Amino acid sequence: MESIPIPPAKLLSSKSHIVPGPLVVTELFFEVPLDYADLSAGHIVLFARRAVKHEVPVCPPDEPPAVKPYMVFLEGGPGFGNREPQDSTLTWPALARGYQVLLLDHRGVGLSTPVSADMLRLIPGGPAAHARYLRLMRQDNTVRDCEAVRKCLTHDWPKPKAKWSIFGQSYGGFVSLSYLSLHPEGLREVFLTGGLAPVGKSPEDVYRATFGRVTQRNKVYYAKYPEDVAAVHQIASHIANKGGSIPLPAGGTLTVARLLTLGLAFGVHGGLDKVHAVILHLKTSLDQFGFLTRASLAPLETATTFDTNIIYAIIHEAIYCDGPGAASNWAAFRVGQDLELFSWLKSPYKPSESTSEPLYFSGEMVFPLHFETYPELMLLKDVAEMLATMDDWPHLYDQAQLRRNQVPVYAASYIDDMYVDFNFASETAGLVKGTKVFATNVMYHNALRVKADEIFQQLFSLRDDVID
């Protein structure tokens, strides 16, 4: 892969505060190039929070404390910013092990020049220019941002200490594998949770596998909530009888297809119950009033956050396009249309007297229909089409470099992961030299949030235990 020089980021501001915990949290803004291959293309701003433990010594120390190595958290998505350090499950386990923590928002999300339809209007040139801007928001450039920030923050450190550790959750793991491919010289160690990306797989490969995972989760859902077979049909029939779409309070429309994308939640702890709660609210509204109240529609509107995290939707398939000739062309939509259980992707839902066969929900797939039903995404439909047909994407991974990798990698991999196929993840673990894996079938993709103590115990055991 071509190596692009990475200039250090420019620190724009640094402000520290003591927050309950107690922690010293420093809010950092940096300036970095928009396009590292074309430094004349302008700059964007990155945001990060650094956290260290607030300590008040009994006596002033004789010497300044030693510099602590960085642990950088790379959030999932793509499209989501970081939580505040006091709310992050990584902060205290990392501090307890001698790190200082850096929570860096990926470019285009959080407070790092966040992308929105209104923001894109500030860029002249219309949809074509907006698509060119968005194509720079993938993991390869996030890696370059990380290296630029690392060079800025450690410029006066002794060289052996200037490397840092990274912790990638989900898509943050995809970023980490690109980091190992592009700039392993900046890394001391890598921790991954649900982030062993499907290296070497096409978007079609990914969605064939994940549709299979979603099918299994649908079966589990309807086995747990058998009454929802009829309830989902009831709601779908109501939508169809209203002309196929119902205006939503905050804009956009509810269609049967949008209803059936609620399965995105099936892959996390408690996700089945959250979907059931939405369905129960909608059904109860129909039973009691004959229409869907605003209160019943509000949970559905907020179940997915595409309107406030548009990068999640608009470049979701692009994160699987590894190199020239790899246009996604709405891969998930094309794969799903060929599956009988997801026939609603091919033709509109038609009410039927028989409601014994369940309607299957989709999972972590983005379809053209999302850009017809979400108010923010509706403004970007032309841009999304352009990104879907792009076939000149840069490479994201260097398999030769991964095979000779020298950076220790410690990964938690979930056998029943609905979003990152376990079989593909296992292949990637075998590809990346030096990878140690904790695999389990009793945790789901968001285990870092809900079973953090177990995850950290397992990952640091991979690092610290001796295996003969």
Side-chain angles (χ1 to χ4, degrees), residues 16-60:
S16 298
H17 311 276
I18 300 173
V19 301
L23 297 171
V24 179
V25 175
T26 305
E27 297 163 351
L28 303 160
F29 285 92
F30 304 91
E31 183 180 87
V32 296
L34 169 63
D35 186 349
Y36 287 88
D38 180 8
L39 299 182
S40 67
H43 296 84
I44 58 173
V45 173
L46 301 180
F47 175 74
R49 291 185 177 96
R50 179 174 58 209
V52 297
K53 187 177 180 181
H54 176 58
E55 298 176 316
V56 182
V58 176
C59 299

Side-chain angles (χ1 to χ4, degrees), residues 216-280:
Q216 292 303 313
R217 292 303 288 164
N218 271 274
K219 293 177 180 177
V220 174
Y221 175 78
Y222 283 117
K224 184 173 185 178
Y225 295 109
E227 67 273 25
D228 283 3
V229 174
V232 173
H233 274 286
Q234 179 186 357
I235 299 163
S237 294
H238 176 77
I239 297 169
N241 291 332
K242 290 293 182 179
S245 66
I246 294 174
L248 290 168
T253 58
L254 173 59
T255 62
V256 174
R258 177 164 175 177
L259 174 74
L260 294 176
T261 61
L262 287 173
L264 173 63
F266 281 176
V268 300
H269 289 272
L272 302 180
D273 310 302
K274 290 179 181 178
V275 173
H276 170 69
V278 174
I279 296 300
L280 179 62

Side-chain angles (χ1 to χ4, degrees), residues 168-179:
Q169 157 66 13
S170 188
Y171 171 71
F174 293 32
V175 176
S176 301
L177 290 166
S178 289
Y179 212 144

Side-chain angles (χ1 to χ4, degrees), residues 91-110:
T91 300
W92 283 106
L95 295 181
R97 289 168 172 84
Y99 300 93
Q100 56 180 317
V101 175
L102 188 73
L103 303 171
L104 178 64
D105 287 348
H106 305 310
R107 55 169 48 203
V109 310

Side-chain angles (χ1 to χ4, degrees), residues 19-26 49-54 68-75 82-104 167 448-449 452-453 456 460:
V19 301
L23 297 171
V24 179
V25 175
T26 305
R49 291 185 177 96
R50 179 174 58 209
V52 297
K53 187 177 180 181
H54 176 58
K68 293 185 177 181
Y70 275 104
M71 170 76 80
V72 182
F73 183 63
L74 300 172
E75 182 59 276
N82 281 292
R83 303 180 182 192
E84 295 184 27
Q86 61 268 34
D87 297 327
S88 172
T89 56
L90 173 69
T91 300
W92 283 106
L95 295 181
R97 289 168 172 84
Y99 300 93
Q100 56 180 317
V101 175
L102 188 73
L103 303 171
L104 178 64
F167 194 112
L448 181 64
R449 308 281 187 229
D453 290 344
F456 285 111
F460 283 102

